[in-house]
Amino acid sequence: MTLLRDLSVLWSLFHILILFMLLYRSRYSRKKTILLTGITMGALIVLNMVGLIIYGAETMGQVFILTCTLPSLLVFWLISRDRNGRFFFTFCLADTVALWIIVVTNVVDFYFGGQQYILMFIGRLLLFPLAEWGAVRRLRKPYLELQEAVPKGWGIFAGMTALYYLLLAVKSNFPVVITQRPQELPAYLLILILMPLTYAVIFAALYRQLLLYRKRQSERILQEQKLTLEARLENQQYIRKVKHDMKGHAVTLSGLLAAGKIDEAQAYLKGVGVQMDTLSGQFCANPYINAVFVHYVRKFEEIEAECRLDLQVGQEELPYMELCQILSNGLENAWDALRKLEPGNREVSVQMKYNRGHLLIRIRNKCREDLHVEKGIIPATEKGGNDHGFGLVTIKEAAEQLEGEMFCYTENGSFVLDVAVSCLAFAKMS
């Protein structure tokens, strides 16, 4: 009957991999991830099965952390996108759930199955697919979203799950297997009951974090939509005003022409044309991004700041929601800094360049002489004595959603914000 035992061990090892791969994020494509996992974990499973046949279940149970857990931890760490608390929590979660199923079926088989391994085999045959079904139906989607949304705070959860895993492993196999220590079985059962309850508390806390993240994202989206709509409405109202003012321009031009002042009339007409181009918001072809520039160019004009734009974007399909977040927060920071400077020292420039699916953005504005920001460090908010801290976290998060990066620094009396994003990432999401 040891054949059923060996088959149940093989089944368990195989499904541990499936359970883990359902929850973690690989740095490679799905095909490459499956190939690497099949090669490395296949060899590891074969070695452990050989050890099981040669040395027996009790001996392999005492050393499986060295022969199975740590090697698989290293392999998955190398191919994982996350190399921090998120990865360790996911790894320990999958291993602990699998170990819980293994030890429960082992205890049930010993006390109720007469060590014939029939209950062990049937229990593992049913419980592992059931755990995977629950992971797919209830856990996988919000858990992957949570990993994307919450980059920090996973360390304490990873530590808790690692300790539970070690507690189960040690309590199950040392100094001998738990079935040979019946006096310790009540405490052991309490540990088995306590573990799912602890995970329930952890996931409740994580779910609250997910709800908070979704709420913040919704508020940001609504705020950006409001800003875009207000900018477009303001632009349309201003255009109507300019059209009304054209009557006055026509009267002026008629007077100049009637007086024979051709050069003056041409200069006046040229000035009217430049004003019309600016006020009508002809900055770029994308209507959403253009509306942001219309709004902020006018704000810069109100504080008499010199604004230079170099927007090399056309009809490309751009992730306008994230870009509106980046631009509006970056330009708001620039406007807030410039309005505190002397009027003659208020300068801002914006460069946008689209090239082969990637968009580069640079916002440069004059800043206080005593301001110093090192590249790669997000400065503090105004409470810490800096005007540029507001919105930079939002800009960084928006850039990371598009597989991009954000850097800010001071250079030659100016504050520089550099953002590089992938529009190809936007195409994948849409």
Side-chain angles (χ1 to χ4, degrees), residues 369-383:
E369 293 182 358
D370 61 339
L371 179 64
H372 176 70
V373 178
E374 294 184 8
K375 192 170 185 178
I377 298 177
I378 296 180
T381 61
E382 192 174 25
K383 293 180 180 179

Side-chain angles (χ1 to χ4, degrees), residues 162-176:
L163 288 175
Y164 258 118
Y165 182 77
L166 290 174
L167 179 62
L168 276 180
V170 172
K171 196 69 175 176
S172 300
N173 297 287
F174 292 94
V176 292

Side-chain angles (χ1 to χ4, degrees), residues 395-413:
I395 295 173
K396 183 176 179 64
E397 290 176 354
E400 290 176 348
Q401 288 177 8
L402 299 174
E403 299 180 1
E405 294 181 304
M406 181 212 79
F407 297 100
C408 57
Y409 53 93
T410 50
E411 180 182 69
N412 300 326

Side-chain angles (χ1 to χ4, degrees), residues 116-127:
Q116 298 299 308
Y117 305 117
I118 296 175
L119 291 182
M120 175 189 290
F121 180 75
I122 294 175
R124 295 177 185 180
L125 195 67
L126 296 176
L127 288 177

Side-chain angles (χ1 to χ4, degrees), residues 5 8-9 12 57-58 61 98-117 119-121 123-124 127 172-173 176-180 185 188 192:
R5 181 203 65 187
S8 69
V9 171
S12 301
E58 183 173 346
L99 183 58
W100 188 91
I101 294 174
I102 290 171
V103 297
V104 166
T105 53
N106 187 33
V107 170
V108 169
D109 183 79
F110 182 84
Y111 285 100
F112 300 100
Q115 281 189 298
Q116 298 299 308
Y117 305 117
L119 291 182
M120 175 189 290
F121 180 75
R124 295 177 185 180
L127 288 177
S172 300
N173 297 287
V176 292
V177 294
I178 188 63
T179 52
Q180 297 180 26
L185 188 61
Y188 188 71
L192 293 177

Side-chain angles (χ1 to χ4, degrees), residues 188-305:
Y188 188 71
L189 292 177
L190 289 176
I191 294 174
L192 293 177
I193 295 171
L194 183 61
M195 194 199 78
L197 297 177
T198 303
Y199 273 118
V201 173
I202 291 175
F203 279 110
L206 291 175
Y207 186 68
R208 285 194 292 269
Q209 289 289 325
L210 178 59
L211 293 179
L212 179 62
Y213 168 76
R214 288 174 175 174
K215 181 181 178 181
R216 291 174 56 192
Q217 288 294 95
S218 298
E219 290 175 350
R220 289 174 183 172
I221 291 172
L222 289 174
Q223 182 64 28
E224 294 306 322
Q225 289 176 339
K226 178 183 175 183
L227 175 63
T228 301
L229 291 173
E230 287 178 348
R232 296 185 71 178
L233 179 60
E234 184 181 354
N235 185 36
Q236 292 173 0
Q237 292 174 342
Y238 213 95
I239 290 173
R240 286 196 292 267
K241 179 180 180 298
V242 171
K243 290 180 178 178
H244 180 268
D245 292 342
M246 284 299 296
K247 295 179 181 179
H249 295 317
V251 171
T252 303
L253 286 170
S254 297
L256 291 172
L257 292 172
K261 298 180 179 181
I262 306 300
D263 294 338
E264 289 82 352
Q266 289 178 340
Y268 185 84
L269 186 61
K270 183 177 180 181
V272 171
V274 172
Q275 184 185 40
M276 286 294 296
D277 286 342
T278 301
L279 295 178
S280 60
Q282 301 301 317
F283 298 113
C284 73
N286 187 289
Y288 304 99
I289 297 173
N290 186 69
V292 174
F293 280 111
V294 169
H295 178 75
Y296 280 100
V297 165
R298 193 161 300 126
K299 291 188 69 170
F300 288 129
E301 289 177 349
E302 290 173 356
I303 62 172
E304 298 179 359

